[in-house]
Amino acid sequence: MTPLRLASRTVRRYRAQTVLAIVGVAVIGALLFDMLLLSRGLLLSFSSLLGRAGFDIRIVGGGGMTLRVPIEQSATLVEAVRVLPEIERVGAIRVQTGVVTARGGRRQSVSLIGATDAAEGAWTLMSGADLDSPGAAALPCPLLVGRPLAARLGVEPGATVQLAVQPSGTASAIPPVECRIVGIAQFAFGAASDDTVATTLASFHRASGEAAVGDADLIVAASAPGAGPVRAVEAIQRIRPGLHVFSNDDVVEQFNRNGFAYFRQISFVLSSLTMVFAFLLVATLLTVSVNQRLGEIAALRAIGIRRVSIAAMLLWESALLVGAGGVLALPLGEALASVLDRILRQMPGLPEQLHFFVFEPRALVVHVVVFALTAFAAAAYPVWLATRLPIAATLRREVVG
Amino acid sequence: MCLRLSCVLLMLSTPAAVLAAEPAPVLLSRQLAARAHVHVGDVVTLGVDPQGTRKASFRVAGIYEPTPDPMRFTSPRLEARMHLPDLLDLAAKPSDVSARDSLTGINIRLADPGEVRAFAGDLGSRVPGLVARATNAPRDEDPFAVLERFHLAISAVTMTAGTAFLLALMVIRAEERRETVGVLRLVGVSRRTLLLSVAIEGVLIAALGALFGIALAFATEGLVNRIFQARYDTALIFVRVTPSIALRAIAVAAPLGVIAGIGASWTLLRRSILSMVGR
């Protein structure tokens, strides 16, 4: 009779407590697994969103990535960057607030994006045509509208709306311009209540009523395949020293340090707590279970089963409980992660395609290692108890008791 | 001493009475003063750009602790406060004629706080493009409301796991007392009495456990806050155990303890008396 067979007989004999222990380990394991997903989930999701656009370099004005300040002489800069051998393509983006009025008088404040050569990956066309389609190119003011906004305004591709640009911080009397909606899109960084509207830079300039073409708020660039973002960033900084140039990794690192710190901390704290919780509970359960079976263990020792085998049996019991619970924890964790993700994505202003819980193999490896260590550590005290009990005295106590 | 300012400065509302030769007063945040090794009474130079194109000297009149902002707790609070005219003199571009008439924000206290929405709407219609917002975000726009729901979900999961383990332990305890319970049934003690005793035991154990947990939370509350306050150099309170939270913990734990105890004992009490005493 091997220790594994002894252990499996024990867990089968005490079915109720085995099932309950496995359920408890599975639930706590699911929470641990989710905290491991959360620790880098936001980072991975954000990186994926950034990379989807195909641009790996971003140039902003002063204020960093969150406070948009126009880039001085951006048109000249765009042309200078375009000819760099380290750069494959460049695009410029302008952002402004505005008001769109549909037929029937429905009005909505919007975030207006003017982009040329920077649109790839920034949105996914859901219906109609894109801004660079032949039909859209012929229009003076083609618009792409987000799905939620289109629903609120009750518009479809082909509809005509009035667009009034309202620069923030300035009292403006710029008359609205007539625009045609050419398509409905899902914007990569659009929130659930997305109010984003996109047009070309030329249309943006016309709608703004400005005398001269304004400076871009963001310039995006894709590094040439042989150069990579690091060399491309250095090349751009040589053009204009002091320019705020960030690779995607720099942007992610900045958000990781500032914006995502809370979730990193909470996942670390909760992972640690669940590990301790799981250890305490399994250790308590095993200890109580061993105390309940002292007579049985003493009898096994009396018939010649060695201490090492008893210890191995208890280790196997712990491994079976924690192992079964750990395996069940994975699908349970995935289900729980989708619930928790849905809760956290209710945060206002968050991009709809951003997720907090993202699977990576590293999380699975850590989960397995943590559970293995927990099983081993939780069995330590019960093993010590069982291997040191006096056989004769224990048997006598069982008979007399 | 030259300091570089890269963030928007907060302004005091009253004009300063500053002698021509005497530097204007400025207040620095504790974090900024510590980083720049500046003390009260020192004269510092503030500029609006790294090149020091527009700069002015100020005397540090005081060092203050910034009001903790949970939305910005990861950002170092490098701030300075000065009188509005002094900031305008420093920051307004000479070529921009409207610069001295421009402000970043105006704080308003209404006579009737309940009129916030109406006031904001009225102001928005009179001054197109102006954004008027209440300082308290509506519940559906408050990210902390979302975090509260998240923490509640985590608590529910933790309690579920704890309940499963508690039930397992109570099953083991019930099994340990099988013969005792059998003897009690033999001498005439009713199932109801035994269940009641188990229920009382469950309430006591659960309440004691909850109280221990609350005491542990109170004891570690200060430690957790000190760790995170040191980590982020802020006065923000991260954890606070309130009487309402303590009562909620007991209100959840006690019934679960009772249910676990009764549930485990009921499976035992359903058996025949003879099987309980091993006959």
Side-chain angles (χ1 to χ4, degrees), chain A residues 20, chain B residues 162-175 177 181 191 194-206 253-270:
Chain A
L20 288 167
Chain B
T163 305
F165 275 110
L166 184 61
L167 209 46
L169 284 171
M170 297 303 266
V171 164
I172 295 174
R173 278 180 58 82
E175 194 56 37
R177 293 191 282 184
V181 169
R191 278 199 184 108
L194 288 169
L195 275 177
L196 193 59
S197 70
V198 167
I200 293 170
E201 187 185 338
V203 166
L204 283 173
I205 292 174
L256 284 176
V258 171
I259 291 168
I262 292 178
S265 301
W266 180 246
T267 56
L268 184 65
L269 288 169
R270 280 190 323 155

Side-chain angles (χ1 to χ4, degrees), chain A residues 17 258 262 265 281 343 346, chain B residues 74 146 149 151 165 172 232:
Chain A
Q17 67 204 48
N258 300 324
Y262 170 78
Q265 301 289 346
L281 292 176
I343 292 174
Q346 290 169 8
Chain B
T74 57
V146 174
R149 285 198 286 276
H151 285 286
F165 275 110
I172 295 174
Y232 293 108

Side-chain angles (χ1 to χ4, degrees), chain A residues 86-110:
Chain A
E86 292 87 353
I87 299 296
E88 192 175 55
R89 54 197 171 93
V90 194
I93 298 173
R94 295 184 66 188
V95 183
Q96 197 52 274
T97 48
V99 173
V100 165
T101 308
R103 287 239 170 98
R106 283 194 214 177
R107 298 180 77 212
Q108 182 70 45
S109 297
V110 298

